[in-house]
Short mmCIF file of all heavy atoms in Angstrom, two decimals:
data_model
loop_
_atom_site.label_atom_id
_atom_site.label_comp_id
_atom_site.label_asym_id
_atom_site.label_seq_id
_atom_site.Cartn_x
_atom_site.Cartn_y
_atom_site.Cartn_z
N ASP B 106 36.02 116.12 32.52
CA ASP B 106 35.56 114.96 33.26
C ASP B 106 34.25 115.26 33.97
O ASP B 106 33.99 116.41 34.37
CB ASP B 106 36.60 114.55 34.30
CG ASP B 106 37.66 113.65 33.72
OD1 ASP B 106 37.77 113.58 32.49
OD2 ASP B 106 38.39 113.03 34.51
N THR B 107 33.45 114.23 34.16
CA THR B 107 32.23 114.39 34.95
C THR B 107 32.51 114.09 36.42
O THR B 107 31.79 114.53 37.29
CB THR B 107 31.12 113.47 34.44
OG1 THR B 107 31.61 112.12 34.43
CG2 THR B 107 30.68 113.88 33.04
N THR B 108 33.57 113.32 36.65
CA THR B 108 33.97 113.00 38.03
C THR B 108 35.30 113.68 38.32
O THR B 108 36.30 113.36 37.68
CB THR B 108 34.11 111.49 38.24
OG1 THR B 108 32.88 110.85 37.91
CG2 THR B 108 34.47 111.19 39.69
N TYR B 109 35.29 114.58 39.23
CA TYR B 109 36.51 115.28 39.59
C TYR B 109 36.40 115.77 41.03
O TYR B 109 35.34 115.69 41.65
CB TYR B 109 36.78 116.46 38.63
CG TYR B 109 35.66 117.45 38.51
CD1 TYR B 109 35.57 118.55 39.35
CD2 TYR B 109 34.67 117.29 37.53
CE1 TYR B 109 34.53 119.47 39.23
CE2 TYR B 109 33.63 118.19 37.42
CZ TYR B 109 33.57 119.27 38.26
OH TYR B 109 32.54 120.18 38.14
N TYR B 110 37.54 116.23 41.53
CA TYR B 110 37.61 116.64 42.93
C TYR B 110 38.32 117.98 43.02
O TYR B 110 39.24 118.27 42.26
CB TYR B 110 38.37 115.58 43.75
CG TYR B 110 37.66 114.25 43.74
CD1 TYR B 110 37.84 113.37 42.68
CD2 TYR B 110 36.78 113.91 44.75
CE1 TYR B 110 37.17 112.16 42.65
CE2 TYR B 110 36.10 112.71 44.72
CZ TYR B 110 36.30 111.84 43.67
OH TYR B 110 35.63 110.65 43.63
N LEU B 111 37.88 118.76 43.94
CA LEU B 111 38.45 120.08 44.16
C LEU B 111 38.96 120.17 45.59
O LEU B 111 38.35 119.63 46.52
CB LEU B 111 37.40 121.16 43.90
CG LEU B 111 36.89 121.21 42.46
CD1 LEU B 111 35.58 121.97 42.39
CD2 LEU B 111 37.93 121.86 41.56
N PHE B 112 40.05 120.88 45.74
CA PHE B 112 40.71 120.98 47.05
C PHE B 112 41.13 122.43 47.30
O PHE B 112 41.37 123.19 46.37
CB PHE B 112 41.99 120.12 47.08
CG PHE B 112 41.79 118.66 46.76
CD1 PHE B 112 41.67 118.23 45.45
CD2 PHE B 112 41.73 117.73 47.78
CE1 PHE B 112 41.50 116.89 45.15
CE2 PHE B 112 41.56 116.38 47.49
CZ PHE B 112 41.44 115.96 46.18
N TRP B 113 41.23 122.74 48.56
CA TRP B 113 41.90 123.97 48.98
C TRP B 113 43.00 123.60 49.97
O TRP B 113 42.80 122.76 50.86
CB TRP B 113 40.93 124.95 49.66
CG TRP B 113 40.17 125.80 48.70
CD1 TRP B 113 38.93 125.57 48.20
CD2 TRP B 113 40.60 127.05 48.13
NE1 TRP B 113 38.56 126.58 47.34
CE2 TRP B 113 39.57 127.51 47.28
CE3 TRP B 113 41.76 127.83 48.25
CZ2 TRP B 113 39.64 128.70 46.57
CZ3 TRP B 113 41.85 129.01 47.54
CH2 TRP B 113 40.80 129.43 46.71
N TYR B 114 44.16 124.27 49.76
CA TYR B 114 45.30 124.11 50.66
C TYR B 114 45.73 125.48 51.16
O TYR B 114 45.61 126.48 50.46
CB TYR B 114 46.49 123.46 49.94
CG TYR B 114 46.33 122.00 49.66
CD1 TYR B 114 45.63 121.56 48.53
CD2 TYR B 114 46.87 121.04 50.51
CE1 TYR B 114 45.49 120.21 48.27
CE2 TYR B 114 46.73 119.69 50.26
CZ TYR B 114 46.04 119.29 49.13
OH TYR B 114 45.90 117.94 48.88
N LYS B 115 46.28 125.49 52.36
CA LYS B 115 46.82 126.71 52.95
C LYS B 115 48.33 126.56 53.11
O LYS B 115 48.81 125.52 53.55
CB LYS B 115 46.17 126.94 54.32
CG LYS B 115 46.74 128.12 55.11
CD LYS B 115 46.06 128.23 56.47
CE LYS B 115 46.61 129.39 57.27
NZ LYS B 115 45.96 129.49 58.61
N GLN B 116 49.05 127.61 52.74
CA GLN B 116 50.50 127.62 52.94
C GLN B 116 50.85 128.84 53.78
O GLN B 116 50.99 129.95 53.27
CB GLN B 116 51.25 127.65 51.61
CG GLN B 116 52.76 127.50 51.78
CD GLN B 116 53.50 127.45 50.46
OE1 GLN B 116 53.19 128.19 49.53
NE2 GLN B 116 54.51 126.57 50.37
N PRO B 117 51.00 128.68 55.09
CA PRO B 117 51.38 129.80 55.95
C PRO B 117 52.81 130.22 55.69
O PRO B 117 53.54 129.54 54.97
CB PRO B 117 51.20 129.22 57.36
CG PRO B 117 51.30 127.75 57.19
CD PRO B 117 50.82 127.43 55.81
N PRO B 118 53.24 131.34 56.28
CA PRO B 118 54.62 131.82 56.05
C PRO B 118 55.69 130.79 56.38
O PRO B 118 56.79 130.86 55.83
CB PRO B 118 54.70 133.04 56.97
CG PRO B 118 53.29 133.53 57.06
CD PRO B 118 52.44 132.29 57.05
N SER B 119 55.39 129.85 57.23
CA SER B 119 56.38 128.82 57.58
C SER B 119 56.63 127.86 56.42
O SER B 119 57.62 127.12 56.44
CB SER B 119 55.91 128.05 58.81
OG SER B 119 54.58 127.62 58.65
#
Side-chain angles (χ1 to χ4, degrees):
Chain B
D106 275 15
T107 55
T108 303
Y109 55 90
Y110 298 84
L111 297 162
F112 303 80
W113 276 95
Y114 286 84
K115 175 182 180 181
Q116 186 176 41
S119 50

